[in-house]
CSV table of all heavy atoms in Angstrom, one decimal:
chain,number,residue,atom,x,y,z
E,519,ASP,N,109.3,117.2,108.1
E,519,ASP,CA,108.5,117.0,106.9
E,519,ASP,C,107.3,116.1,107.2
E,519,ASP,O,107.4,115.1,107.9
E,519,ASP,CB,109.4,116.3,105.8
E,519,ASP,CG,108.7,116.3,104.5
E,519,ASP,OD1,108.9,117.3,103.7
E,519,ASP,OD2,108.1,115.3,104.2
E,520,ASP,N,106.2,116.5,106.6
E,520,ASP,CA,104.9,115.8,107.0
E,520,ASP,C,104.6,114.6,106.0
E,520,ASP,O,103.5,114.1,106.1
E,520,ASP,CB,103.8,116.8,107.0
E,520,ASP,CG,103.8,117.7,108.2
E,520,ASP,OD1,104.4,117.2,109.2
E,520,ASP,OD2,103.3,118.8,108.2
E,521,ASP,N,105.5,114.3,105.1
E,521,ASP,CA,105.3,113.1,104.3
E,521,ASP,C,105.4,111.8,105.1
E,521,ASP,O,106.0,111.8,106.2
E,521,ASP,CB,106.3,113.0,103.2
E,521,ASP,CG,106.0,114.1,102.1
E,521,ASP,OD1,104.9,114.7,102.1
E,521,ASP,OD2,106.9,114.4,101.3
E,522,GLN,N,104.8,110.8,104.7
E,522,GLN,CA,105.0,109.4,105.3
E,522,GLN,C,104.5,109.4,106.7
E,522,GLN,O,105.2,109.1,107.6
E,522,GLN,CB,106.4,108.9,105.2
E,522,GLN,CG,106.9,108.8,103.7
E,522,GLN,CD,108.2,108.0,103.7
E,522,GLN,OE1,109.1,108.1,104.5
E,522,GLN,NE2,108.3,107.2,102.6
E,523,MET,N,103.2,109.7,106.9
E,523,MET,CA,102.6,109.6,108.2
E,523,MET,C,101.5,108.6,108.2
E,523,MET,O,100.7,108.6,107.2
E,523,MET,CB,102.1,111.0,108.7
E,523,MET,CG,103.2,112.0,109.0
E,523,MET,SD,102.6,113.5,109.7
E,523,MET,CE,102.1,112.9,111.3
E,524,LEU,N,101.3,107.8,109.2
E,524,LEU,CA,100.2,106.9,109.3
E,524,LEU,C,98.9,107.7,109.6
E,524,LEU,O,99.0,108.7,110.2
E,524,LEU,CB,100.4,105.9,110.4
E,524,LEU,CG,101.7,104.9,110.3
E,524,LEU,CD1,101.9,104.2,111.5
E,524,LEU,CD2,101.5,104.0,109.1
E,525,SER,N,97.8,107.2,109.1
E,525,SER,CA,96.5,107.8,109.4
E,525,SER,C,96.0,107.6,110.8
E,525,SER,O,95.1,108.3,111.3
E,525,SER,CB,95.5,107.4,108.3
E,525,SER,OG,95.3,106.0,108.4
E,526,SER,N,96.5,106.5,111.4
E,526,SER,CA,96.1,106.2,112.8
E,526,SER,C,97.4,105.8,113.6
E,526,SER,O,98.4,105.6,113.0
E,526,SER,CB,95.1,105.1,112.8
E,526,SER,OG,95.6,103.9,112.2
E,527,MET,N,97.2,105.6,114.9
E,527,MET,CA,98.3,105.3,115.7
E,527,MET,C,98.9,103.9,115.3
E,527,MET,O,98.1,103.0,115.0
E,527,MET,CB,97.9,105.2,117.2
E,527,MET,CG,97.5,106.6,117.8
E,527,MET,SD,98.9,107.8,117.7
E,527,MET,CE,100.0,107.2,119.0
E,528,PRO,N,100.2,103.7,115.4
E,528,PRO,CA,100.7,102.4,115.0
E,528,PRO,C,100.4,101.3,116.0
E,528,PRO,O,100.1,101.6,117.2
E,528,PRO,CB,102.2,102.7,114.9
E,528,PRO,CG,102.4,103.8,115.8
E,528,PRO,CD,101.2,104.7,115.7
E,529,ARG,N,100.5,100.1,115.6
E,529,ARG,CA,100.2,99.0,116.5
E,529,ARG,C,101.1,99.0,117.7
E,529,ARG,O,102.3,99.2,117.6
E,529,ARG,CB,100.4,97.6,115.8
E,529,ARG,CG,100.2,96.4,116.6
E,529,ARG,CD,100.4,95.1,115.8
E,529,ARG,NE,99.4,95.0,114.7
E,529,ARG,CZ,99.4,94.0,113.8
E,529,ARG,NH1,100.2,93.0,114.0
E,529,ARG,NH2,98.5,94.0,112.9
E,530,GLY,N,100.4,98.9,118.9
E,530,GLY,CA,101.2,98.9,120.1
E,530,GLY,C,101.2,100.3,120.8
E,530,GLY,O,101.7,100.5,121.9
E,531,TYR,N,100.7,101.3,120.1
E,531,TYR,CA,100.7,102.7,120.6
E,531,TYR,C,99.4,103.4,120.7
E,531,TYR,O,99.3,104.6,120.9
E,531,TYR,CB,101.7,103.6,119.7
E,531,TYR,CG,103.1,103.1,119.8
E,531,TYR,CD1,103.6,102.1,119.0
E,531,TYR,CD2,104.0,103.7,120.7
E,531,TYR,CE1,104.9,101.7,119.1
E,531,TYR,CE2,105.3,103.3,120.8
E,531,TYR,CZ,105.8,102.3,120.0
E,531,TYR,OH,107.1,101.8,120.1
E,532,ALA,N,98.3,102.6,120.5
E,532,ALA,CA,97.0,103.1,120.6
E,532,ALA,C,96.7,103.9,121.9
E,532,ALA,O,96.0,104.9,122.0
E,532,ALA,CB,95.9,102.0,120.4
E,533,GLN,N,97.3,103.4,123.0
E,533,GLN,CA,97.1,104.0,124.3
E,533,GLN,C,97.7,105.4,124.4
E,533,GLN,O,97.5,106.1,125.4
E,533,GLN,CB,97.7,103.1,125.4
E,533,GLN,CG,99.2,103.0,125.5
E,533,GLN,CD,99.8,101.9,124.6
E,533,GLN,OE1,99.2,101.6,123.6
E,533,GLN,NE2,100.9,101.3,125.0
E,534,HIS,N,98.5,105.8,123.4
E,534,HIS,CA,99.2,107.1,123.4
E,534,HIS,C,98.5,108.0,122.4
E,534,HIS,O,99.1,109.0,122.1
E,534,HIS,CB,100.7,106.9,123.1
E,534,HIS,CG,101.4,106.0,124.1
E,534,HIS,ND1,101.6,106.3,125.4
E,534,HIS,CD2,102.1,104.8,123.9
E,534,HIS,CE1,102.3,105.4,126.0
E,534,HIS,NE2,102.6,104.5,125.1
E,535,SER,N,97.3,107.7,122.0
E,535,SER,CA,96.6,108.6,121.0
E,535,SER,C,96.4,110.0,121.5
E,535,SER,O,96.2,110.9,120.7
E,535,SER,CB,95.3,107.9,120.6
E,535,SER,OG,94.4,107.8,121.7
E,536,ALA,N,96.4,110.2,122.8
E,536,ALA,CA,96.2,111.5,123.4
E,536,ALA,C,97.5,112.2,123.8
E,536,ALA,O,97.5,113.3,124.3
E,536,ALA,CB,95.2,111.5,124.6
E,537,HIS,N,98.6,111.5,123.6
E,537,HIS,CA,99.9,112.1,123.9
E,537,HIS,C,100.2,113.3,123.0
E,537,HIS,O,99.8,113.4,121.9
E,537,HIS,CB,101.0,111.0,123.6
E,537,HIS,CG,102.3,111.3,124.2
E,537,HIS,ND1,103.2,112.3,123.6
E,537,HIS,CD2,103.0,110.8,125.2
E,537,HIS,CE1,104.3,112.3,124.3
E,537,HIS,NE2,104.2,111.4,125.3
E,538,ARG,N,100.8,114.3,123.6
E,538,ARG,CA,101.1,115.6,122.9
E,538,ARG,C,101.9,115.4,121.7
E,538,ARG,O,101.9,116.2,120.8
E,538,ARG,CB,101.6,116.6,123.8
E,538,ARG,CG,103.1,116.4,124.3
E,538,ARG,CD,103.5,117.6,125.2
E,538,ARG,NE,104.8,117.5,125.7
E,538,ARG,CZ,105.1,116.9,126.9
E,538,ARG,NH1,104.2,116.3,127.6
E,538,ARG,NH2,106.4,116.9,127.4
E,539,HIS,N,102.7,114.3,121.6
E,539,HIS,CA,103.5,114.0,120.4
E,539,HIS,C,102.9,112.8,119.6
E,539,HIS,O,103.6,112.2,118.8
E,539,HIS,CB,104.9,113.6,120.8
E,539,HIS,CG,105.6,114.7,121.5
E,539,HIS,ND1,105.6,116.0,121.0
E,539,HIS,CD2,106.4,114.8,122.6
E,539,HIS,CE1,106.3,116.8,121.7
E,539,HIS,NE2,106.8,116.1,122.7
E,540,ALA,N,101.6,112.6,119.7
E,540,ALA,CA,100.9,111.5,119.0
E,540,ALA,C,101.2,111.6,117.5
E,540,ALA,O,101.4,110.6,116.8
E,540,ALA,CB,99.4,111.5,119.3
E,541,ALA,N,101.1,112.8,116.9
E,541,ALA,CA,101.3,113.0,115.5
E,541,ALA,C,102.7,112.5,115.1
E,541,ALA,O,102.9,111.9,114.0
E,541,ALA,CB,101.1,114.4,115.1
E,542,HIS,N,103.7,112.8,116.0
E,542,HIS,CA,105.1,112.4,115.6
E,542,HIS,C,105.3,110.9,115.8
E,542,HIS,O,106.1,110.3,115.1
E,542,HIS,CB,106.0,113.2,116.5
E,542,HIS,CG,106.0,114.6,116.4
E,542,HIS,ND1,106.2,115.3,115.2
E,542,HIS,CD2,105.6,115.6,117.2
E,542,HIS,CE1,106.1,116.6,115.3
E,542,HIS,NE2,105.7,116.8,116.6
E,543,ILE,N,104.5,110.3,116.7
E,543,ILE,CA,104.6,108.8,116.8
E,543,ILE,C,104.0,108.1,115.6
E,543,ILE,O,104.4,107.0,115.2
E,543,ILE,CB,103.8,108.4,118.1
E,543,ILE,CG1,104.4,108.9,119.4
E,543,ILE,CG2,103.7,106.9,118.2
E,543,ILE,CD1,103.6,108.8,120.6
E,544,ARG,N,103.2,108.8,114.8
E,544,ARG,CA,102.6,108.2,113.6
E,544,ARG,C,103.5,108.4,112.4
E,544,ARG,O,103.3,107.9,111.3
E,544,ARG,CB,101.3,108.9,113.3
E,544,ARG,CG,100.2,108.6,114.3
E,544,ARG,CD,98.8,109.0,113.8
E,544,ARG,NE,98.6,110.4,113.9
E,544,ARG,CZ,98.5,111.2,112.8
E,544,ARG,NH1,98.7,110.8,111.6
E,544,ARG,NH2,98.3,112.5,113.0
E,545,ARG,N,104.6,109.0,112.6
E,545,ARG,CA,105.6,109.2,111.4
E,545,ARG,C,106.3,107.9,111.1
E,545,ARG,O,106.7,107.2,112.0
E,545,ARG,CB,106.6,110.3,111.8
E,545,ARG,CG,106.0,111.7,112.0
E,545,ARG,CD,107.1,112.7,112.2
E,545,ARG,NE,106.5,114.1,112.4
E,545,ARG,CZ,106.1,114.9,111.5
E,545,ARG,NH1,106.2,114.6,110.2
E,545,ARG,NH2,105.6,116.1,111.8
E,546,LYS,N,106.5,107.7,109.8
E,546,LYS,CA,107.4,106.6,109.4
E,546,LYS,C,108.8,107.2,109.1
E,546,LYS,O,109.7,106.4,109.0
E,546,LYS,CB,106.8,105.9,108.2
E,546,LYS,CG,105.5,105.2,108.4
E,546,LYS,CD,105.1,104.3,107.3
E,546,LYS,CE,104.6,105.2,106.1
E,546,LYS,NZ,104.1,104.3,104.9
E,547,SER,N,108.9,108.5,108.9
E,547,SER,CA,110.1,109.2,108.7
E,547,SER,C,110.2,110.4,109.6
E,547,SER,O,109.1,111.1,109.7
E,547,SER,CB,110.4,109.5,107.2
E,547,SER,OG,110.4,108.4,106.4
E,548,LEU,N,111.3,110.8,110.1
E,548,LEU,CA,111.5,112.0,110.8
E,548,LEU,C,112.6,112.7,110.1
E,548,LEU,O,113.8,112.4,110.4
E,548,LEU,CB,111.8,111.8,112.3
E,548,LEU,CG,110.6,111.2,113.1
E,548,LEU,CD1,110.7,109.7,113.1
E,548,LEU,CD2,110.7,111.7,114.6
E,549,LEU,N,112.3,113.7,109.3
E,549,LEU,CA,113.3,114.3,108.4
E,549,LEU,C,113.1,115.8,108.4
E,549,LEU,O,112.0,116.3,108.5
E,549,LEU,CB,113.1,113.8,107.0
E,549,LEU,CG,113.5,112.4,106.6
E,549,LEU,CD1,113.1,112.1,105.2
E,549,LEU,CD2,115.0,112.1,106.8
E,550,ILE,N,114.2,116.5,108.2
E,550,ILE,CA,114.1,117.9,107.8
E,550,ILE,C,114.8,118.0,106.4
E,550,ILE,O,115.7,117.2,106.1
E,550,ILE,CB,114.8,118.9,108.8
E,550,ILE,CG1,116.3,118.6,109.0
E,550,ILE,CG2,114.1,118.9,110.1
E,550,ILE,CD1,117.0,119.6,109.8
E,551,GLN,N,114.3,118.9,105.6
E,551,GLN,CA,114.8,119.0,104.2
E,551,GLN,C,115.3,120.4,103.8
E,551,GLN,O,114.9,121.4,104.4
E,551,GLN,CB,113.7,118.5,103.2
E,551,GLN,CG,113.3,117.1,103.4
E,551,GLN,CD,112.6,116.5,102.2
E,551,GLN,OE1,112.9,116.9,101.0
E,551,GLN,NE2,111.6,115.7,102.4
E,552,GLN,N,116.1,120.4,102.8
E,552,GLN,CA,116.7,121.6,102.2
E,552,GLN,C,116.6,121.6,100.7
E,552,GLN,O,117.3,120.7,100.1
E,552,GLN,CB,118.1,121.8,102.7
E,552,GLN,CG,118.9,123.0,102.0
E,552,GLN,CD,118.3,124.3,102.5
E,552,GLN,OE1,118.2,124.5,103.7
E,552,GLN,NE2,118.0,125.2,101.6
E,553,PRO,N,115.8,122.4,100.1
E,553,PRO,CA,115.8,122.4,98.6
E,553,PRO,C,117.1,123.0,98.1
E,553,PRO,O,117.7,123.9,98.7
E,553,PRO,CB,114.6,123.3,98.2
E,553,PRO,CG,114.4,124.2,99.4
E,553,PRO,CD,114.8,123.4,100.6
E,554,LEU,N,117.5,122.5,97.0
E,554,LEU,CA,118.8,122.9,96.3
E,554,LEU,C,118.5,123.3,94.9
E,554,LEU,O,118.0,122.5,94.1
E,554,LEU,CB,119.9,121.9,96.5
E,554,LEU,CG,120.3,121.5,97.9
E,554,LEU,CD1,121.1,120.2,97.9
E,554,LEU,CD2,121.1,122.6,98.5
E,555,ALA,N,118.9,124.5,94.5
E,555,ALA,CA,118.8,124.9,93.1
E,555,ALA,C,120.0,124.5,92.3
E,555,ALA,O,121.1,124.2,92.8
E,555,ALA,CB,118.6,126.4,93.1
E,556,GLU,N,119.9,124.6,91.0
E,556,GLU,CA,121.0,124.2,90.1
E,556,GLU,C,122.2,125.1,90.4
E,556,GLU,O,123.3,124.6,90.5
E,556,GLU,CB,120.6,124.4,88.6
E,556,GLU,CG,119.8,123.3,88.0
E,556,GLU,CD,119.7,123.3,86.5
E,556,GLU,OE1,120.5,124.0,85.9
E,556,GLU,OE2,118.8,122.6,85.9
E,557,ASP,N,122.0,126.4,90.7
E,557,ASP,CA,123.1,127.3,90.9
E,557,ASP,C,123.8,127.0,92.2
E,557,ASP,O,125.0,127.2,92.4
E,557,ASP,CB,122.6,128.7,90.9
E,557,ASP,CG,123.8,129.7,91.0
E,557,ASP,OD1,124.6,129.7,90.1
E,557,ASP,OD2,123.9,130.5,92.0
E,558,ASP,N,123.1,126.4,93.2
E,558,ASP,CA,123.7,126.0,94.4
E,558,ASP,C,124.8,124.9,94.2
E,558,ASP,O,125.9,125.0,94.8
E,558,ASP,CB,122.7,125.4,95.4
E,558,ASP,CG,121.7,126.4,95.9
E,558,ASP,OD1,122.1,127.6,96.1
E,558,ASP,OD2,120.6,126.0,96.2
E,559,TRP,N,124.6,124.0,93.2
E,559,TRP,CA,125.5,123.0,92.9
E,559,TRP,C,126.7,123.6,92.1
E,559,TRP,O,127.9,123.3,92.3
E,559,TRP,CB,124.9,121.9,92.1
E,559,TRP,CG,123.8,121.1,92.8
E,559,TRP,CD1,122.5,121.5,92.8
E,559,TRP,CD2,123.9,120.0,93.7
E,559,TRP,NE1,121.7,120.6,93.6
E,559,TRP,CE2,122.6,119.6,94.1
E,559,TRP,CE3,125.0,119.2,94.0
E,559,TRP,CZ2,122.4,118.6,94.9
E,559,TRP,CZ3,124.7,118.1,94.9
E,559,TRP,CH2,123.4,117.8,95.3
E,560,ILE,N,126.3,124.4,91.1
E,560,ILE,CA,127.3,125.0,90.2
E,560,ILE,C,128.3,125.9,90.9
E,560,ILE,O,129.5,125.9,90.6
E,560,ILE,CB,126.6,125.6,89.0
E,560,ILE,CG1,125.9,124.6,88.1
E,560,ILE,CG2,127.6,126.3,88.1
E,560,ILE,CD1,125.0,125.1,87.1
């Protein structure tokens, strides 16, 4: 999920700004999600 991402590299990681996983290093959460409908619960 792309929510909760920093706009720039976190403190201490500026030297990794060109890393292929730089976008993931900027994450504050690393989550996958599944929507659930009312009928799924019932």
Side-chain angles (χ1 to χ4, degrees):
D519 190 86
D520 286 334
D521 289 343
Q522 295 195 323
M523 292 186 70
L524 298 172
S525 58
S526 59
M527 295 299 286
R529 180 177 297 180
Y531 293 86
Q533 70 273 28
H534 301 297
S535 59
H537 193 284
R538 66 179 181 274
H539 295 316
H542 301 299
I543 295 169
R544 290 192 286 109
R545 295 183 184 278
K546 294 190 289 183
S547 296
L548 291 89
L549 293 170
I550 60 173
Q551 294 200 39
Q552 172 70 50
L554 298 166
E556 283 194 15
D557 188 60
D558 292 326
W559 300 90
I560 295 170

